[in-house]
Amino acid sequence: MAERWRIAVGQLSQETNHFNPVPTVEADFAASGILRGDAVLHGWSAAQREVPGFLRVLREAGHEAVPTLAAWCPAAGGPVARATFEHLLGELLNLLRGAGRLDGVLLALHGAMVLEDADDAEAEIIGRLRAALPPSTPVVVTLDLHGHVTPAMLQSDVAFVAYREYPHIDMFETGERAARLLLDTLAGARRPVMALAKRPMVVSPVGARTPDPPLSELCAMARAAEDAGEVIHVGLFPVQPWLDVPELGFAVLVTGDGDAAAAQAVAERIADAAWAMRARFDPGLTPLEEAIRTGLAGPGTTVIGDCGDAPTGGALADHPGVLRALLAAGAERHGRPVLLTLNDPPAAAAAHEAGLGARCRFRLGHARTPGAPVEIEAEVVALHDGRFELRDGGATGSVIEHGPSAVLCHGALRIAVRSAPGNEWDTNAYRSLGFDPAEAGVVFVKSPAHFRVAYAPLAMRVIAADTPGPCAANTARIPWTRVTRPLWPLDPV
């Protein structure tokens, strides 16, 4: 190797849901552990995420990783408070400025961060990062495929690499691809140029999974363009639909190799194909009451996605709609356990205070959002600190912190109450509490799609339910007011 490059490594990522009324503050980032300095190099344990992917490639190639700051939210949330953003970004930039000579930067973003006073946080991050670097220093950024990609993000000497998979099972590999692109750029083997094509359409994440048509067909087009050498990378962005911002839509972001016109042609071709198949992105949602009837009547285990109240989409996970519907259906009399969760800090605290075996009355739900809770009598059958590790694919090895947690038993119902919203798509969210989902009759998971990776192998049937909450999987129920019109499916375009 002729030269040992010094590459800055960092992360600042959060996925915003405009319909979550609670702002995201620094404590929300700290819940997953903000890593600073050398902790960025060594603090990931076995987590299969973007930054560890960066680090593996740099280490194996013999280059120096220069740590800055890694801050991310374990679950989506409301718009980020400006003070929190300034503090975290300021720290990252100060560490960058004090790092000495840098040959390049690797940065993990999400793509759908919104601030309380600005719609395009990623464009601001990239612009301020560029201003802190010497001109022409190459930067490669990773993005979640639910990012809201804007023209303002496309700045000089910045290339992008996106997740290829949803459910998100390639975070680590995305980091590796980004690092290889940066090294190839520094070596002169690549000359990245960006092209963006957008179409005025928003599709439900439930109907936009990369293993399944129609998105799988667009993925095949993207990989074919890469394999043919037309472009370096094609990123598909079906977008996070719970943003209320102008220019929301389906994006195709292409990284070309020195030929901007060729990159734009590929972007337009795939965007046109997405537009032509827009009506095929049917999420196949089942009304909640019907999903419950099917689960209670069927043999084996039925896994139901509680799509509307998913913390990974930005919900506070405290909506008791599923519990209320289960009680109305008499699910507490079912012959096998019925598992569900709620983010309810007061109920979790009361259960810990009462202790194992205590039978108490609990008011469950709407701990942080407006609405009427559900009152039931239940026995405390498990207590836990709420800390567990993802094991089933997608950020595998990451540690989740739900805070003090408890399981309440009401007949067949097993209600896991938590003290903080967080990732629930992994079976260890239940197993860590002492319950095997494979032995349950019905299992609810607050997730629109990713839960299928972990739960489909143990389920006789998987249902995506049209449940209430700020992550409505039915796009007809999303209360947009600021999006640019016309926008499909709101308008007949």
Side-chain angles (χ1 to χ4, degrees), residues 271-290:
D272 284 343
W275 178 250
M277 60 179 63
R278 61 192 181 278
R280 294 175 55 200
F281 283 95
D282 182 356
L285 298 173
T286 300
L288 174 57
E289 292 75 12
E290 180 183 336

Side-chain angles (χ1 to χ4, degrees), residues 407-427:
V407 178
L408 309 180
C409 175
H410 177 78
L413 302 184
R414 305 291 186 269
I415 310 159
V417 291
R418 322 212 186 262
S419 297
N423 187 307
E424 296 190 13
W425 68 42
D426 194 281
T427 58

Side-chain angles (χ1 to χ4, degrees), residues 85-98:
F85 179 76
E86 290 294 338
H87 183 205
L88 294 175
L89 180 58
E91 270 199 80
L92 191 155
L93 295 177
N94 285 337
L95 289 165
L96 199 71
R97 294 186 188 101

Side-chain angles (χ1 to χ4, degrees), residues 30-33 43-45 352 383-391 397-406 418-420 423 428-433:
S32 59
W44 295 90
S45 184
H352 275 260
L383 297 171
H384 198 266
D385 63 6
R387 180 184 175 91
F388 66 94
E389 184 177 290
L390 299 181
R391 297 177 177 174
S398 298
V399 174
I400 304 300
E401 301 276 3
H402 280 153
S405 301
R418 322 212 186 262
S419 297
N423 187 307
N428 210 26
Y430 282 116
R431 294 186 197 277
S432 64
L433 298 171

Side-chain angles (χ1 to χ4, degrees), residues 350-364:
H352 275 260
E353 183 177 353
L356 282 174
R359 179 169 289 276
C360 313
R361 292 201 68 81
F362 293 91
R363 290 167 56 83
L364 299 177

Side-chain angles (χ1 to χ4, degrees), residues 1 22-23 80 84 150 164 192 203 207 251 268 320 375 410-411 441 455 464 470 488:
M1 183 176 64
V22 179
V80 178
T84 293
T150 66
R164 288 177 170 172
V203 300
E268 298 292 346
E375 188 168 337
H410 177 78
Y455 286 89
W488 187 89

Side-chain angles (χ1 to χ4, degrees), residues 278-466:
R278 61 192 181 278
R280 294 175 55 200
F281 283 95
D282 182 356
L285 298 173
T286 300
L288 174 57
E289 292 75 12
E290 180 183 336
I292 290 172
R293 286 196 300 271
T294 300
L296 295 178
T301 299
T302 300
V303 176
I304 303 175
D306 180 2
C307 302
D309 203 30
T312 44
L316 286 165
D318 71 343
H319 200 295
V322 167
L323 175 59
R324 186 173 283 114
L326 285 169
L327 292 171
E332 71 274 19
R333 299 187 296 275
H334 193 51
R336 297 174 66 197
V338 175
L339 309 183
L340 66 153
T341 70
L342 268 177
N343 173 33
D344 196 320
H352 275 260
E353 183 177 353
L356 282 174
R359 179 169 289 276
C360 313
R361 292 201 68 81
F362 293 91
R363 290 167 56 83
L364 299 177
H366 290 302
R368 299 186 69 187
T369 59
V374 175
E375 188 168 337
I376 63 169
E377 183 175 300
E379 180 185 353
V380 180
V381 295
L383 297 171
H384 198 266
D385 63 6
R387 180 184 175 91
F388 66 94
E389 184 177 290
L390 299 181
R391 297 177 177 174
D392 295 329
T396 303
S398 298
V399 174
I400 304 300
E401 301 276 3
H402 280 153
S405 301
V407 178
L408 309 180
C409 175
H410 177 78
L413 302 184
R414 305 291 186 269
I415 310 159
V417 291
R418 322 212 186 262
S419 297
N423 187 307
E424 296 190 13
W425 68 42
D426 194 281
T427 58
N428 210 26
Y430 282 116
R431 294 186 197 277
S432 64
L433 298 171
F435 294 92
D436 184 355
E439 296 179 356
V442 181
V443 180
F444 275 89
V445 186
K446 290 183 183 294
S447 168
H450 196 120
F451 73 99
R452 293 171 184 267
V453 172
Y455 286 89
L458 61 84
M460 184 164 287
R461 64 197 64 78
V462 177
I463 300 172
D466 190 2

